[in-house]
Amino acid sequence: MRRITRIATVGIASAALALSATACGGKKSSDSDSKEPSAAIAYDIGGRGDQSFNDAAYAGLQKAESELKIKGAEAEPTDGEGEADKVQRLTELARKGNNPVIGVGFAYAPAIAKVAPKFPNTTFGLIDDLSVTDKNIANLVFNEEQGSYLAGVAAAKVTKSGTVGFIGGVETPLIKKFEAGFIQGVQDTNPSAKVLTQYLTQPPDFTGFAKPDLGKAAAQGQLAKGADVVYAAAGGAGAGAIEATATAGKWAIGVDSDQYNQAGLSKYKDKILTSVTKDVADSVFNLIKSVKDGKPQSGEVRYGLATDGVGLADSNPEYKNMADVIAAVEKAKADIIAKKITVKTAP
């Protein structure tokens, strides 16, 4: 029987009072004495149900609960939240005895930098960020550019118009990695192909990861300009891009999870050619297991093509029948692993 506790966010004032009380005690916050193994994930923008990044992290927690017999806890983001909200959320999860506590996404970096020192016996997982390090922080990072290169190869092989599209949720260095790999894969495969690029929002506005209507409008705009393959690295907003692309009878490429198999996108699955996958689920599971085994991961933990940490999904039966596309993708994968191809991390 699954037992996942969803943590509701309390007011910032309450958290401030709790932190103040700790400070008055003249010592760091201590980790909970709870003996029941438990682990927690704090979701990124869009929360659980995004059919992408957050859902992949949730799958890792589910797997850990089932196979490791641990108790799971989840915490959702709130609209328009700031760093103080994230600090509060992580503090609450750690105080309840969860270990590890995992921040899903680079936006948690500043908060983990503040909270981790207060709980030295708790391991904090930080997905997609290397900027904050400590002995009790595990940085779970991926070679997104490598998986995106393979998507570019596939897009260049299947396009009939010679124009493909890339949609990024927010223009950050992380999403630029997706863009760079995709463009390079397209151009290395078909130098005459054109890549249309659009970002939905600019920092500090990160809502581009959570607005399917923006993704849908961006895809419609690229389709109107002749794109017949659209790849969106936009979290929950990518669902809108997939809807628009599939409705137009063109190929969509998903991201993070194998979106062909996402129930919320089943209506459009036949036109989801493939997805660039990041093994976020196993990264979450592996960190939880390392803590339970008494050998918690720490520092950079990298997932790339060589370890199947990133890749290209082949769930769509139509894709499986594209022998020439698969051959080109497999050759590119082998060349990247053999370091014959160096994939750019910036456009």
Side-chain angles (χ1 to χ4, degrees):
M1 178 73 68
R2 291 184 57 254
R3 295 178 300 157
I4 287 185
T5 304
R6 297 180 70 81
I7 305 296
T9 302
V10 297
I12 292 176
S14 298
L17 287 172
L19 289 172
S20 175
T22 299
C24 289
K27 61 182 181 179
K28 293 181 179 179
S29 302
S30 60
D31 300 8
S32 169
D33 293 330
S34 174
K35 299 299 181 182
E36 185 178 17
S38 58
I41 52 178
Y43 291 118
D44 199 3
I45 295 169
R48 178 145 71 85
D50 66 352
Q51 313 294 325
S52 184
F53 187 49
N54 289 300
D55 282 359
Y58 174 60
L61 182 63
Q62 283 186 299
K63 181 180 178 182
E65 191 182 35
S66 174
E67 297 186 14
L68 304 178
K69 308 304 178 185
I70 61 101
K71 178 182 177 182
E74 306 167 72
E76 294 279 5
T78 56
D79 291 340
E81 70 178 27
E83 183 182 322
D85 299 283
K86 292 182 173 63
V87 169
Q88 168 198 339
R89 184 175 304 124
L90 297 176
T91 299
E92 182 180 358
L93 291 171
R95 281 192 176 139
K96 288 181 178 294
N98 296 291
N99 189 16
V101 173
I102 303 171
V104 183
F106 61 82
Y108 277 98
I112 285 179
K114 291 184 177 181
V115 178
K118 295 180 171 64
F119 297 90
N121 297 320
T122 298
T123 292
F124 288 82
L126 177 56
I127 300 178
D128 283 348
D129 190 274
L130 286 169
S131 68
V132 176
T133 59
D134 208 337
K135 61 184 180 181
N136 65 328
I137 298 175
N139 305 87
L140 311 178
V141 293
F142 302 81
N143 292 117
E144 295 91 354
E145 72 282 0
Q146 295 179 346
S148 295
Y149 183 99
L150 302 185
V153 173
K157 294 292 289 185
V158 302
T159 181
K160 295 179 180 178
S161 68
T163 299
V164 302
F166 172 82
I167 297 171
V170 183
E171 193 167 2
T172 63
L174 174 67
I175 306 303
K176 285 288 196 180
K177 290 172 66 180
F178 288 90
E179 178 193 356
F182 183 67
I183 291 175
Q184 187 180 347
V186 170
Q187 294 179 340
D188 284 356
T189 306
N190 181 2
S192 64
K194 181 179 181 181
V195 182
L196 306 175
T197 298
Q198 182 174 344
Y199 283 89
L200 303 181
T201 61
Q202 300 288 325
D205 181 359
F206 291 94
T207 59
F209 290 126
K211 293 187 174 180
D213 58 326
L214 293 183
K216 181 177 181 179
Q220 289 172 333
Q222 292 184 340
L223 293 165
K225 294 178 181 178
D228 59 356
V229 185
V230 177
Y231 170 38
I242 289 174
E243 177 189 349
T245 307
T247 300
K250 307 302 181 182
W251 286 118
I253 296 178
V255 76
D256 291 337
S257 300
D258 182 354
Q259 296 196 293
Y260 178 88
N261 289 322
Q262 290 291 332
L265 296 171
S266 60
K267 182 178 179 180
Y268 313 110
K269 64 189 298 182
D270 289 346
K271 298 307 295 183
I272 300 176
L273 177 68
T274 181
S275 297
V276 175
T277 57
K278 290 171 57 173
D279 203 353
V280 175
D282 270 359
S283 75
V284 168
F285 175 84
N286 292 341
L287 179 57
I288 295 171
K289 186 176 187 303
S290 76
V291 172
K292 185 176 183 185
D293 291 346
K295 299 178 181 179
Q297 293 176 333
S298 179
E300 180 178 329
V301 184
R302 181 166 293 278
Y303 293 84
L305 274 183
T307 59
D308 290 326
V310 297
L312 210 59
D314 64 354
S315 298
N316 191 325
E318 192 165 346
Y319 175 80
K320 289 180 180 179
N321 291 328
M322 297 178 179
D324 59 330
V325 177
I326 291 176
V329 167
E330 288 301 314
K331 183 180 185 305
K333 178 180 178 179
D335 285 347
I336 292 171
I337 293 173
K339 303 186 186 305
K340 294 179 181 179
I341 294 175
T342 300
V343 185
K344 299 175 183 178
T345 56

